[in-house]
């Protein structure tokens, strides 16, 4: 006999497939993005089918976000926010085994752009609240659902816009869950670490611009903007910044030590993290500030030395490290380079304790006897950066029990992005237990 919410488990994969088939590509520019309006209207329709009202707000034409509030049994309690984004990063069909917007179900997986980032969570929550509405389940407290635009470009037209323009939609929300947390790493057959995100690095996307004297490409030229820029970019890209162990990562490393029976050198923890497989790339990036050059632009003709050259850099800093990161950047970039922020947003961190965390732990252990939930810091960013501004305590909790051999980290923004159907069903069961208990 199937456990948990039966109908939600049976429809979650199809809901995900349908949502993937709605192209919500976000290029970072509304003019070239697909927009989220169709997806928001699709979610609204699925909620309306079961009697759940929702509102859709647009920050710009087509850049739509949806919010719904499900009344709880005790409306005097603070509400819980469950948020997910509808947009996805671009995908080139020529690189994929299946069309990235096919939502194809094959070999026990649902394939497509957004399958793990993060239409899987969108579908799991949608399937669950639809079953609750059909069967009369009422959560202990209000649950606010937010399906938002523009997360992949920093959330300016999605979560941040809602927080700035419509904060009343989140009135009473004290805690939140969303993406990139609650997934498993297999240690052995009877032990899996489930990583719950309690922190994420700050975002510091920047543009560097070097100036110089333009001239003929055949001359000896000591004041070359391209040379000056490339020297700065090379220093940034080749320098590994010092290890800094924040509280969540200290707790995570302690759990790894215990699980694997090893001792981790706090100054060189990457060697131990390599035991965790491909996910170690994501985790290793949360041990220090990072600055990675991503794009270069200079010149207009081979035999003309340009007067300016520019580069973009993806910078990320740990909680409490914003000022130190500024100093690190200044020393590496050097003189004669202008720096401007493209996107700059805060780091977020909370503690791994309290009734909400207890409910996460209990829900995971109820569905997996070998579960050991642990906190961690995510190297990337989420809409938690926006919702935290309202005083909301944010977690990454999108529960998935994953096959031991799945290279999960590579699927984020990767080719052949996919999620196991059984993992989706597991996630629905865990979310059902969790949301009934909070």
């Amino acid at each position: 006999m199937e456990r948990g919410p039966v109908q939600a488990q049976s429809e979650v994969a199809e809901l995900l497939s349908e949502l993937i088939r709605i192209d919500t590509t976000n290029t970072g520019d509304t003019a070239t993005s697909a927009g989220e309006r169709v997806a928001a209207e699709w979610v609204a329709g699925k909620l309306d089918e079961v009697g759940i009202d929702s509102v859709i707000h647009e920050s710009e034409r087509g850049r739509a976000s949806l919010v719904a509030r499900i009344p709880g049994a005790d409306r005097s309690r603070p509400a819980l926010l469950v948020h997910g984004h509808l947009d996805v990063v671009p995908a080139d069909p020529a690189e994929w085994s299946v069309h990235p917007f096919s939502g194809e179900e094959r070999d026990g997986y649902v394939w497509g752009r957004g399958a793990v980032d993060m239409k899987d969570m969108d579908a799991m929550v949608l399937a669950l609240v639809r079953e609750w509405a059909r069967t009369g389940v009422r959560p202990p407290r209000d649950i606010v659902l937010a399906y938002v635009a523009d997360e992949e470009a920093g959330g300016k037209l999605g979560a941040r816009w809602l927080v700035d323009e419509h904060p009343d939609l989140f009135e009473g929300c004290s805690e939140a869950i969303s993406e990139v947390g609650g997934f498993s790493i297999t240690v052995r057959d009877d032990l899996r670490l489930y990583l719950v995100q309690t922190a994420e690095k700050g975002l510091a996307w920047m543009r560097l611009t070097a100036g110089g004297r333009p001239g003929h490409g055949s001359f000896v030229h000591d004041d070359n903007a391209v040379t000056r820029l490339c020297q700065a970019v090379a220093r940034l890209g080749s320098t590994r910044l010092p290890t800094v162990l924040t509280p969540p990562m200290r707790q995570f490393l302690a759990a790894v030590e215990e699980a694997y029976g090893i001792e981790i050198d706090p100054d060189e923890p990457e060697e131990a993290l390599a035991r965790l497989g491909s996910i170690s790339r994501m985790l290793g990036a949360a041990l220090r500030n990072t600055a990675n050059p991503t794009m270069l632009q200079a010149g207009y003709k081979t035999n003309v030395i340009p007067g300016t050259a520019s580069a973009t850099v993806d910078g990320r800093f740990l909680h409490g490290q914003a000022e130190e990161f500024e100093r690190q950047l200044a020393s590496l970039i050097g003189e004669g380079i202008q720096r401007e922020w493209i996107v700059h947003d805060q780091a977020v961190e909370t503690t791994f304790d309290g009734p909400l965390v207890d409910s996460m732990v209990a829900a995971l252990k109820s569905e997996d006897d070998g579960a050991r939930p642990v906190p961690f810091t995510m190297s990337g960013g989420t809409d938690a950066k926006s919702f935290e501004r309202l005083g909301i305590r944010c977690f990454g909790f999108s529960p998935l029990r994953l096959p031991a051999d799945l290279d999960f980290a590579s699927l984020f923004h990767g080719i052949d992005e996919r999620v196991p159907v059984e993992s989706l069903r597991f996630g629905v069961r865990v979310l059902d237990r969790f949301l009934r208990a909070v």
Side-chain angles (χ1 to χ4, degrees):
M1 182 177 179
E2 192 168 16
R3 297 174 297 157
V6 176
Q7 191 162 358
Q9 290 182 76
S10 68
E11 77 168 0
V12 64
E14 180 54 34
L15 288 174
L16 175 56
S17 292
E18 289 183 33
L19 191 51
I20 287 172
R21 287 195 285 270
I22 302 171
D23 183 352
T24 52
T25 297
N26 185 357
T27 64
D29 177 7
T30 294
T32 55
S33 294
E36 299 88 354
R37 180 83 200 194
V38 174
E41 291 178 346
W42 177 86
V43 173
K46 294 296 182 183
L47 293 173
D48 186 62
E49 285 177 2
V50 294
I52 299 175
D53 295 329
S54 61
V55 294
I56 293 177
H57 294 277
E58 279 192 344
S59 53
E60 291 182 359
R61 184 175 177 83
R63 309 310 301 273
S65 298
L66 173 146
V67 179
R69 185 178 286 257
I70 299 173
D74 183 355
R75 306 210 67 187
S76 68
R77 293 184 58 200
L80 174 70
L81 172 63
V82 181
H83 62 97
H85 61 85
L86 294 169
D87 61 320
V88 297
V89 296
D92 181 357
E95 298 176 331
W96 285 56
S97 301
V98 303
H99 194 285
F101 297 105
S102 67
E104 181 174 337
E105 187 174 334
R106 181 208 291 185
D107 302 327
Y109 288 77
V110 177
W111 299 61
R113 177 58 85 218
V116 300
D117 187 11
M118 64 166 295
K119 291 182 175 180
D120 56 342
M121 178 65 164
D122 294 339
M124 290 190 295
V125 172
L126 183 59
L128 181 60
V129 299
R130 278 164 57 85
E131 176 153 345
W132 279 7
R134 292 189 190 101
T135 57
V137 172
R138 194 172 186 186
R141 55 170 161 162
D142 282 11
I143 292 177
V144 176
L145 303 180
Y147 288 79
V148 303
D150 199 41
E151 189 275 345
E152 295 294 0
K156 180 181 178 182
L157 301 177
R160 181 60 53 84
W161 183 82
L162 288 174
V163 165
D164 290 342
E165 301 297 327
H166 299 281
D168 55 296
L169 293 170
F170 311 103
E171 184 178 354
C173 290
S174 60
E175 297 164 312
I177 63 166
S178 189
E179 62 179 326
V180 199
F183 60 90
S184 67
I185 297 174
T186 299
V187 179
R188 54 180 186 264
D189 288 346
D190 64 343
L191 178 58
R192 278 160 293 282
L193 300 179
Y194 281 84
L195 279 59
V196 177
Q197 185 203 139
T198 60
E200 60 182 56
K201 296 173 80 175
L203 193 60
W205 293 350
M206 69 200 83
R207 180 177 289 106
L208 307 181
T209 303
R213 190 176 70 252
H216 199 288
S218 67
F219 296 170
V220 175
H221 207 91
D222 296 326
D223 187 16
N224 190 317
V226 175
T227 303
R228 183 174 294 112
L229 177 75
C230 287
Q231 289 170 341
V233 165
R235 287 192 295 270
L236 282 173
S238 61
T239 300
R240 176 171 287 200
L241 297 174
T243 299
V244 178
L245 295 183
T246 58
M249 293 308 288
R250 287 186 184 277
Q251 288 180 271
F252 175 75
L253 292 174
V256 171
E257 284 185 318
E258 183 180 351
Y260 287 90
I262 59 175
E263 186 172 338
I264 297 177
D265 181 349
D267 295 321
E268 294 290 339
E270 282 91 342
E271 183 178 348
L273 288 182
R275 291 173 174 262
L276 305 181
S278 63
I279 201 71
S280 63
R281 299 196 304 274
M282 179 190 293
L283 297 170
L287 298 173
R288 55 177 51 83
N289 302 326
T290 57
N292 287 310
T294 54
M295 293 191 291
L296 296 168
Q297 184 175 13
Y300 54 88
K301 199 170 187 294
T302 304
N303 63 347
V304 177
I305 296 171
T308 62
S310 65
T312 59
V313 178
D314 183 338
R316 313 274 175 151
F317 57 91
L318 293 164
H319 189 263
Q321 283 278 302
E323 292 183 4
E324 176 61 20
F325 187 52
E326 287 272 6
R327 288 190 286 270
Q328 292 168 340
L329 289 175
S331 66
L332 289 170
I333 293 170
E335 300 293 329
I337 306 286
Q338 291 184 333
R339 171 165 55 88
E340 61 177 313
W341 298 125
I342 301 171
V343 177
H344 193 281
D345 210 343
Q346 64 179 343
V348 176
E349 185 174 293
T350 188
T351 52
F352 191 60
D353 55 18
L356 193 80
V357 170
D358 293 342
S359 295
M360 292 178 191
V361 172
L364 285 167
K365 288 187 173 182
S366 293
E367 292 297 331
D368 181 359
D369 292 338
R372 185 177 298 175
V374 296
F376 85 110
T377 297
M378 195 183 74
S379 59
T382 74
D383 284 323
K385 296 183 187 304
S386 295
F387 292 118
E388 197 270 346
R389 290 168 180 258
L390 294 176
I392 299 173
R393 189 179 180 212
C394 297
F395 295 86
F397 188 64
S398 176
L400 297 170
R401 178 172 173 173
L402 299 168
D405 59 350
L406 180 65
D407 184 357
F408 188 58
S410 71
L411 300 179
F412 287 88
H413 297 187
I415 296 167
D416 287 342
E417 186 178 349
R418 61 197 183 277
V419 65
V421 173
E422 284 305 316
S423 298
L424 294 171
R425 292 171 179 160
F426 172 86
V428 167
R429 295 195 301 271
V430 171
L431 288 170
D432 181 55
R433 290 181 181 273
F434 168 69
L435 293 173
R436 285 175 185 256
V438 296

